[in-house]
Amino acid sequence: MATTSTSSTPSTKYNLRNPLPLSATQEQEVKKIFHKRVRAHCAAEIKAFAECAVNRTVTATWVCRNQRLTMNSCMLAHAKPEEEDRAREEWFATYEERRREKEEDLVKVEQRREEIIRMMREDQAKSKTR
């Protein structure tokens, strides 16, 4: 009987089109990327509204109405599910890099902790000899 050979090692690559379910924190990170991308598309419109709204409080609502509507329509035009999918793909593409950075930070914290413990023990030894 012929069998097909498959790789026994699990793949560390993620399927970017059909990713695994994400935790709430991971979804928040994807949303941040999504909103950042949408704001980048509409940077000029956002800047125009912000310049109009400078030194205005309540009156900005009707004085800057055209700029606000332009900004909102731009953001709605770019805040599509496709853009959210791109943000999710970007999150998965940078997952390994973020994981590696987190591990490096943990190693640095552990090294610093060991250094502090060593210094405390040296201080204790010095105080006992006095």
Side-chain angles (χ1 to χ4, degrees), residues 11-60:
S11 175
T12 58
K13 297 290 181 187
Y14 292 102
N15 180 354
L16 301 179
R17 292 289 175 196
N18 189 13
L20 301 171
L22 299 177
S23 69
T25 343
Q26 293 168 333
E27 282 293 339
Q28 283 295 85
E29 292 172 359
V30 170
K31 288 285 186 189
K32 284 182 184 178
I33 294 171
F34 170 68
H35 292 298
K36 180 181 175 184
R37 291 174 64 92
V38 170
R39 285 191 303 266
H41 285 297
C42 302
E45 291 83 355
I46 293 170
K47 184 177 180 182
F49 175 71
E51 288 173 351
C52 177
V54 168
N55 295 327
R56 291 191 169 95
T57 55
V58 178
T59 59

Side-chain angles (χ1 to χ4, degrees), residues 31-111:
K31 288 285 186 189
K32 284 182 184 178
I33 294 171
F34 170 68
H35 292 298
K36 180 181 175 184
R37 291 174 64 92
V38 170
R39 285 191 303 266
H41 285 297
C42 302
E45 291 83 355
I46 293 170
K47 184 177 180 182
F49 175 71
E51 288 173 351
C52 177
V54 168
N55 295 327
R56 291 191 169 95
T57 55
V58 178
T59 59
T61 303
W62 59 85
V63 172
C64 305
R65 184 172 190 266
N66 290 336
Q67 292 89 339
R68 179 177 49 85
L69 292 175
T70 304
M71 176 186 71
N72 287 346
S73 62
C74 176
M75 293 179 85
L76 286 173
H78 290 289
K80 301 287 183 196
E82 298 83 25
E83 192 64 36
E84 191 169 0
D85 290 342
R86 285 189 209 101
R88 187 176 303 278
E89 289 175 8
E90 182 180 333
W91 186 89
F92 274 100
T94 60
Y95 176 79
E96 287 299 319
E97 180 183 335
R98 287 190 317 274
R99 185 189 58 76
R100 183 178 35 78
E101 287 174 359
K102 187 176 180 181
E103 286 177 359
E104 289 172 357
D105 287 346
L106 289 174
V107 167
K108 288 178 185 176
V109 166
E110 184 62 25
Q111 289 172 346

